[in-house]
Amino acid sequence: FHLATPEPALHGMGGEVGVPWFGGAARCGLLSGRHYNGLTNFSFSVWVKNPSVGSFGYTSNGTTERYGTVLAQGALGNLPGFCCFVQQMTGTPDRLRMQTRSADNKTTVWSAELAPLADGKWHHVAFTHDWTAKEGRLYVDGRAVDILAPGDGRTMVNPTSWSWTQFSMGVRNQNGTENSAQDFPYRGELAQVTLWNRALTSDDVQRLRRHPP
């Protein structure tokens, strides 16, 4: 893993070194060993196959919720940062969600239908966070499925993290060392995970999706 400007901050997880499969059980996530502080303008790109939730879930008032983490740095509990995850909740369609959380515990969420991604094929997911322009976009297979822009009624929060929480794949890491079921493990396959320290353009995203695993 490396950080370079304006090249990818993370590079080469997945298709280039073997596609990791995540079983959705405790201690099956991958910790990068790095934390990327000060990310306000950033983007990520990842290929997913059969994305689903892991073994951990909880029930409250008759509603069961399960989550499967695609990738994350913070955004768990009251930690600032960002997280892309699968959400399964009783009585509602499964969703792919992207969440940012600020240091004062405010959040912004983007989401997309999960069903089209659960067909046994590789699908490209990308997210761009342009704090300067106050615009964030979640892409699925090159299409912007959820756009936050000034004036649309939602507020973008600053996810800048100065904690030591590691960037992780397949699990949300709370304290830099823990990797347990309570960290919402992912079930499915991931490939070509890449994190940038800038906001990609729509053309950038289109180029990335031309090269599946």
Side-chain angles (χ1 to χ4, degrees):
F1 303 102
H2 64 277
L3 178 63
T5 306
E7 296 303 315
L10 280 171
H11 171 69
M13 276 307 307
E16 298 165 355
V17 292
V19 177
W21 181 81
F22 298 87
R27 304 187 184 282
C28 70
L30 295 176
L31 304 182
S32 71
R34 295 288 300 275
H35 56 279
Y36 298 97
N37 290 336
L39 292 180
T40 52
N41 295 336
F42 70 93
S43 306
F44 70 75
S45 169
V46 58
W47 288 89
V48 300
K49 187 176 182 181
N50 293 326
S52 187
V53 298
S55 58
F56 177 72
Y58 59 91
T59 301
S60 177
N61 298 321
T63 298
T64 298
E65 298 184 45
R66 293 184 185 274
Y67 299 93
T69 305
V70 177
L71 53 84
Q73 178 172 276
L76 181 66
N78 59 1
L79 289 175
F82 57 90
C83 181
C84 179
F85 60 97
V86 176
Q87 180 185 50
Q88 187 181 86
M89 185 179 298
T90 304
T92 63
D94 294 352
R95 307 288 294 179
L96 175 72
R97 294 189 180 274
M98 173 65 199
Q99 176 179 285
T100 55
R101 185 182 297 273
S102 64
D104 58 354
N105 208 25
K106 295 178 181 178
T107 61
T108 306
V109 176
W110 293 256
S111 71
E113 246 187 295
L114 186 69
L117 306 182
D119 59 359
K121 301 177 181 178
W122 285 105
H123 292 276
H124 185 248
V125 175
F127 177 73
T128 63
H129 190 272
D130 190 334
W131 178 249
T132 305
K134 299 297 187 288
E135 181 174 295
R137 294 176 178 241
L138 177 64
Y139 293 85
V140 175
D141 291 331
R143 184 171 65 92
V145 295
D146 194 356
I147 302 172
L148 183 154
D152 75 352
R154 289 187 290 175
T155 301
M156 178 180 276
V157 301
N158 186 345
T160 299
S161 171
W162 298 102
S163 70
W164 292 91
T165 304
Q166 293 163 290
F167 182 87
S168 59
M169 290 149 279
V171 69
R172 263 193 281 190
N173 184 249
Q174 297 190 63
N175 58 19
T177 58
E178 180 110 8
N179 188 356
S180 67
Q182 286 74 24
D183 290 338
F184 307 124
Y186 170 82
R187 182 179 180 86
E189 294 179 75
L190 302 178
Q192 299 175 5
V193 179
T194 314
L195 173 68
W196 284 265
N197 53 356
R198 64 183 177 92
L200 297 180
T201 66
S202 180
D203 287 344
D204 290 331
V205 173
Q206 297 306 319
R207 283 191 290 270
L208 288 166
R209 67 178 295 264
R210 293 173 191 163
H211 304 287

